[in-house]
Amino acid sequence: MDEVEGVPVSALKRHAELSELVEDARWRYYVLDQPTVSDAQFDGWFKELLALEEAHPTLQTPDSPTQKVGAAPSGDFAKVQHLNKMESLDNAFNADDMAAWQARAERLAEGDPGPYLCELKIDGLAVALIYRDGRLERGATRGDGRTGDDVTANVRTIKGVPHRLEGDDIPSLVEVRGEVYIPVEDFKKLNEQLVEQGKPPFANPRNSAAGTLRQKDPRITAQRPLRMLVHGIGVWEGTQEPRTQSHCYDRLREFGLPVSDLYEVVPDLGGINAFIEHYRVHRHDPAYEIDGVVVKVDDFRTQRELGSTSRAPRWAMAYKYPPEEVNTKLLDIQVGVGRTGRVTPFGLMEPVVVAGSTVERATLHNAAIVVKKGVLIGDTVVLRKAGDVIPEIVGPVTALRDGSEREFVMPTHCPECGTELAYEKEGDADLRCPNARGCPAQIRERIFFAAGRRALDIDGLGYVAATALTQPLPPQEPVVRTEADLFDLTLERLIPIRSVVRDQDAQGLPKIDPRTGEQKVVTFFSNLSGEPSQNALRLMEELERAKECSLAQVLVALSIRHVGPPTARALADAMRSIDAIMNASEEELAAVEGIGPRVAATIKEWFEVDWHREIIERWRAAGVRMEDEPAPEKGPQTLEGLTFVVTGTLEGYTRDTAAEALTSRGGKVSGSVSKKTSFLVAGENAGSKYDKAVTLGVPILDGAGFEVLLNEGPEAAAGVAVTPEG
């Protein structure tokens, strides 16, 4: 079968693969503050996703990464709802991209939307501050755009952020958005202090700011040199709202809020390009790291007319500068093994400073990429620190070769268990270790993943602990041989364990003890007197708590391919128990919203493996909860079989509560208007979705019509809807 519902199977597979990569990258970047792919790589995946969805619109669902912002909150702090959605920005990478955005804005505005405000794109952490009656009430991270982490106590420690606004005519309620950062020079000093204290330094200023703002102890945050610059508003009530972005900055500065002076209002595209070019040359002049320029339509009324897509405003664009590059020596190419068995080559290089941090490792993805890049062990290579996050080997400097270089040979057997490597299916780019049950590397990675925030959230079971449990030093035997052993751990089994410390970012490479020059050994679960350490006691407490995790968290922890948090939540909501999922047919699984036949087949295949079922039964016997509470009884499903799109601002509803009102009555909510749309629910500032509904002849309901729909049903709503001629 070459197509599924008109979409080529190859496109479905690539879309699913890209979606998983993007979601994982977002989680690591926004929540863990441990990014694993470069900005350039992420942008490439995202652009490819957009292109696939443009070619095959049915792939664009509300769960698609293209319809989301950021990532879910971390879980370490109380979760809070933003007053208005915090959106992301679309990216431009060259002058043509910028011209296309300006032309599109001009077309949508039916005239020149300028002037434009140009400002620097700070590489920091996005936050929103709420001031009520002039007093700082709350500070929150962006999270997924709708829900963020409450970091109020830490925000109050940031120098320059006022606890009370100054001046006259202060709004009764104002939400300001901005970036929290650490200045470059302060970042260097902070890392020096950490090193002197024997603590690991931060990778870059952005990660240091994010890690500092997420400290559970505000006293630690207060000791760090955090700063903030405000660059926008989400809500303004009680006084006359400014007319323009630039006027808004003047007002915010009068209130005592920190606003940058490094912006300029320009009349046209020529002015935009001049500003971008100036800071391309003077990129390192500001006191903070930047990775580009943000361009905004200055007039607020025009901003509202242009509206937003599901994730980004049409009135703003981020121009991203090319990543920085340096040369260094490629000393060796080694491989690491991931939790799915994927074997990934990575380069070991002479340490080099690039984009403000020292780099000595860079991924090479797979053997084909090594060949494609033409790099040899011993080469001088071009290293690019894309987006100031993850280093990438671009290629060799062949003119510097002296004949001593040698080719990399991909191993034929797993470096950790000795199993012969193989491609999972014909045409795959990645070799995998097929010994999923017995490979120590895969078990280690899966245990670490199962303990992560997206899964069981077991504090105390980090990478060092996962390594100790699965790969202790002889003569101890592993106490965790598969996930099935996890909840059978006891203090008696933990105490004897000694382990080599491994660096998770090095994909399994051992850390070196600087005092001895040898691999660093730790007794992680016992103290000097042989009694249980705090690590051991905390782990046992956390394992007991994890037994009460939701079914969705358990499903994620099982490392079923393609079952991340959204898919796990959909399965749990639909079937309520592990037994129902395990015994469901492929057709029943595929019928779950957002699953589809490909993922259903993967889920069914996973549950048919004996040792996978053993994990479930052992966890169940240990007391892990394997079902959720029964779903609440549904009310009348008056909207069953109908598809809705919600756009604009509805009085009395947020976008989420309006969608919930529809889905609770059996309706389906889509992110885009098509001929299959039953009704468009359009509030104020509806934007392009309204225009498309008019073009397609889709019935349109205003706020009053929406209430008729909810209270009296679709037939009554059809009588009050505006039905344009298609």
Side-chain angles (χ1 to χ4, degrees):
M1 185 174 176
D2 296 327
E3 292 186 348
V4 177
E5 297 181 355
V7 180
V9 171
S10 60
L12 284 169
K13 290 181 177 179
R14 183 58 177 161
H15 187 272
E17 179 184 8
L18 288 168
S19 296
E20 185 175 355
L21 290 169
V22 167
E23 294 283 22
D24 185 68
R26 279 177 169 166
W27 181 262
R28 292 178 183 276
Y29 185 89
Y30 289 109
V31 179
L32 300 183
D33 301 319
Q34 296 175 352
T36 55
V37 298
S38 68
D39 268 8
Q41 178 67 76
F42 180 90
D43 291 336
W45 288 338
F46 201 84
K47 288 173 71 175
E48 189 177 350
L49 262 183
L50 290 171
L52 280 171
E53 292 181 357
E54 185 174 353
H56 309 288
T58 57
L59 293 175
Q60 187 186 89
T61 67
D63 283 336
S64 170
T66 64
Q67 307 303 300
K68 300 177 183 178
V69 174
S74 69
D76 285 344
F77 296 85
K79 298 177 177 61
V80 292
Q81 298 290 318
H82 294 300
L83 301 183
N84 276 328
K85 181 180 178 182
M86 291 185 72
E87 297 173 313
S88 185
L89 290 173
D90 288 330
N91 294 323
F93 298 93
N94 52 53
D96 289 342
D97 289 347
M98 206 71 233
W101 168 77
Q102 193 274 341
R104 184 165 61 250
E106 190 170 32
R107 184 173 65 255
L108 291 172
E110 298 181 350
D112 186 0
Y116 306 89
L117 183 142
C118 301
E119 60 189 5
L120 302 182
K121 186 175 182 294
I122 303 170
D123 195 12
L125 182 72
V127 297
L129 309 182
I130 295 176
Y131 286 87
R132 194 180 300 273
D133 297 323
R135 293 184 180 273
L136 177 60
E137 178 177 281
R138 190 181 80 192
T141 63
R142 182 170 65 177
D144 63 5
R146 299 185 185 279
T147 305
D149 288 331
D150 187 338
V151 290
T152 307
N154 289 344
V155 164
R156 290 182 183 276
T157 71
I158 299 176
K159 184 177 180 180
V161 173
H163 294 192
R164 185 176 181 85
L165 300 182
E166 305 169 353
D168 300 321
D169 205 25
I170 295 173
S172 58
L173 175 66
V174 62
E175 182 197 55
V176 298
R177 279 95 181 265
E179 294 286 318
V180 171
Y181 66 94
I182 289 181
V184 175
E185 290 303 315
D186 289 332
F187 167 75
K188 294 177 181 177
K189 294 176 183 177
L190 173 61
N191 264 356
E192 290 172 0
Q193 293 170 1
L194 291 174
V195 171
E196 289 174 359
Q197 297 166 8
K199 299 177 181 179
F202 287 109
N204 54 51
R206 191 268 173 198
N207 279 7
S208 65
T212 298
L213 193 63
R214 290 195 174 103
Q215 288 288 331
K216 294 182 179 180
D217 186 348
R219 292 173 297 181
I220 297 177
T221 306
Q223 296 170 6
R224 302 273 177 85
L226 285 183
R227 298 292 183 272
M228 180 179 177
L229 285 177
V230 174
H231 56 55
I233 57 172
V235 173
W236 185 297
E237 295 178 1
T239 64
Q240 181 65 42
E241 183 180 352
R243 294 175 292 101
T244 65
Q245 191 84 31
S246 51
H247 181 213
C248 176
Y249 286 1
D250 292 338
R251 294 292 308 280
L252 295 177
R253 193 179 288 108
E254 291 170 3
F255 296 158
L257 286 160
V259 180
S260 173
D261 291 321
L262 302 180
Y263 67 87
E264 184 178 349
V265 178
V266 301
D268 51 26
L269 184 61
I272 292 173
N273 289 335
F275 186 91
I276 290 171
E277 189 57 32
H278 174 81
Y279 280 101
R280 188 195 306 276
V281 176
H282 297 276
R283 179 174 180 175
H284 298 291
D285 288 2
Y288 41 82
E289 289 277 358
I290 69 169
D291 57 3
V293 166
V294 176
V295 181
K296 303 174 181 177
V297 171
D298 193 38
D299 184 77
F300 280 160
R301 179 180 295 178
T302 307
Q303 288 185 10
R304 288 189 285 269
E305 290 174 355
L306 291 172
S308 300
T309 66
S310 62
R311 62 175 296 275
R314 295 188 182 88
W315 45 265
M317 177 63 73
Y319 184 100
K320 300 191 76 170
Y321 290 130
E324 297 179 337
E325 298 178 349
V326 297
N327 288 2
T328 189
K329 197 80 168 180
L330 179 63
L331 303 175
D332 197 5
I333 298 176
Q334 299 184 5
V335 297
V337 184
R339 68 185 175 94
T340 63
R342 180 186 177 192
V343 179
T344 305
F346 59 92
L348 289 176
M349 298 161 296
E350 288 183 351
V352 61
V353 176
V354 54
S357 60
T358 301
V359 174
E360 54 187 332
R361 299 180 181 91
T363 182
L364 284 161
H365 304 292
N366 55 57
I369 294 295
V370 178
V371 174
K372 183 177 180 181
K373 290 180 179 293
V375 294
L376 302 176
I377 297 170
D379 266 335
T380 296
V381 295
V382 177
L383 179 70
R384 178 168 58 198
K385 192 117 187 297
D388 296 344
V389 179
I390 293 297
E392 175 188 4
I393 294 173
V394 178
V397 183
T398 56
L400 297 178
R401 284 179 175 166
D402 59 12
S404 65
E405 298 80 14
R406 67 186 192 278
E407 290 186 2
F408 165 70
V409 179
M410 189 72 178
T412 59
H413 291 73
C414 176
E416 298 218 28
C417 73
T419 302
E420 186 174 1
L421 303 178
Y423 295 106
E424 190 173 54
K425 57 183 179 298
E426 186 177 351
D428 277 359
D430 299 316
L431 278 168
R432 295 181 185 271
C433 170
N435 183 21
R437 183 176 189 177
C439 177
Q442 294 183 61
I443 298 168
R444 177 186 70 234
E445 298 297 324
R446 291 200 304 269
I447 292 296
F448 175 61
F449 178 81
R453 291 172 179 167
R454 294 196 300 171
L456 301 177
D457 194 15
I458 301 173
D459 187 24
L461 185 44
Y463 205 80
V464 173
T467 302
L469 294 173
T470 59
Q471 296 172 285
L473 288 176
Q476 285 86 18
E477 294 290 327
V479 295
V480 174
R481 296 180 183 274
T482 76
E483 295 92 313
D485 297 326
L486 185 59
F487 287 95
D488 292 337
L489 289 172
T490 63
L491 287 175
E492 291 73 21
R493 299 181 70 193
L494 292 176
I495 288 173
I497 294 175
R498 296 170 67 250
S499 174
V500 171
V501 178
R502 291 176 182 265
D503 182 346
Q504 84 181 69
D505 292 333
Q507 301 173 324
L509 286 178
K511 279 187 176 178
I512 302 299
D513 188 327
R515 297 168 298 178
T516 65
E518 298 177 351
Q519 292 182 1
K520 189 174 182 180
V521 176
V522 294
T523 52
F524 195 70
F525 297 112
S526 63
N527 56 30
L528 294 176
S529 61
E531 297 175 342
S533 67
Q534 288 300 313
N535 291 324
L537 295 172
R538 184 171 75 253
L539 176 56
M540 296 307 298
E541 291 175 358
E542 284 292 303
L543 285 170
E544 195 62 31
R545 182 200 56 76
K547 293 177 182 179
E548 294 301 317
C549 283
S550 68
L551 177 59
Q553 289 174 284
V554 172
L555 289 170
V556 174
L558 292 172
S559 280
I560 305 169
R561 292 280 293 277
H562 310 306
V563 180
T567 302
R569 172 48 55 199
L571 282 169
D573 287 346
M575 300 196 170
R576 315 305 297 180
S577 77
I578 198 78
D579 291 325
I581 297 169
M582 185 162 47
N583 297 322
S585 66
E586 281 191 35
E587 291 74 18
E588 290 170 326
L589 291 169
V592 174
E593 184 72 25
I595 301 297
R598 175 173 172 267
V599 176
T602 302
I603 296 170
K604 190 66 178 175
E605 180 182 326
W606 191 92
F607 280 104
E608 288 173 350
V609 177
D610 290 344
W611 68 272
H612 290 166
R613 286 178 176 255
E614 180 188 352
I615 296 170
I616 294 167
E617 296 312 317
R618 293 267 300 279
W619 284 12
R620 192 201 306 268
V624 177
R625 190 156 61 91
M626 291 292 175
E627 60 182 28
D628 285 342
E629 297 294 328
E633 291 187 11
K634 295 181 178 179
Q637 300 296 282
T638 56
L639 305 181
E640 190 169 4
L642 301 179
T643 300
F644 302 87
V645 175
V646 180
T647 186
T649 303
L650 289 165
E651 185 176 352
Y653 294 90
T654 65
R655 193 75 59 85
D656 286 341
T657 57
E660 183 179 349
L662 294 167
T663 56
S664 66
R665 292 166 172 79
K668 178 181 178 181
V669 178
S670 174
S672 58
V673 178
S674 71
K675 291 182 179 179
K676 295 182 180 180
T677 303
S678 305
F679 289 93
L680 173 74
V681 179
E684 295 181 9
N685 305 314
S688 62
K689 291 178 183 177
Y690 184 96
D691 298 335
K692 189 168 184 179
V694 171
T695 302
L696 296 177
V698 173
I700 300 171
L701 295 171
D702 59 12
F706 183 52
E707 295 294 343
V708 172
L709 174 74
L710 299 180
N711 297 322
E712 303 178 37
E715 291 185 4
V720 299
V722 175
T723 306
E725 296 182 3

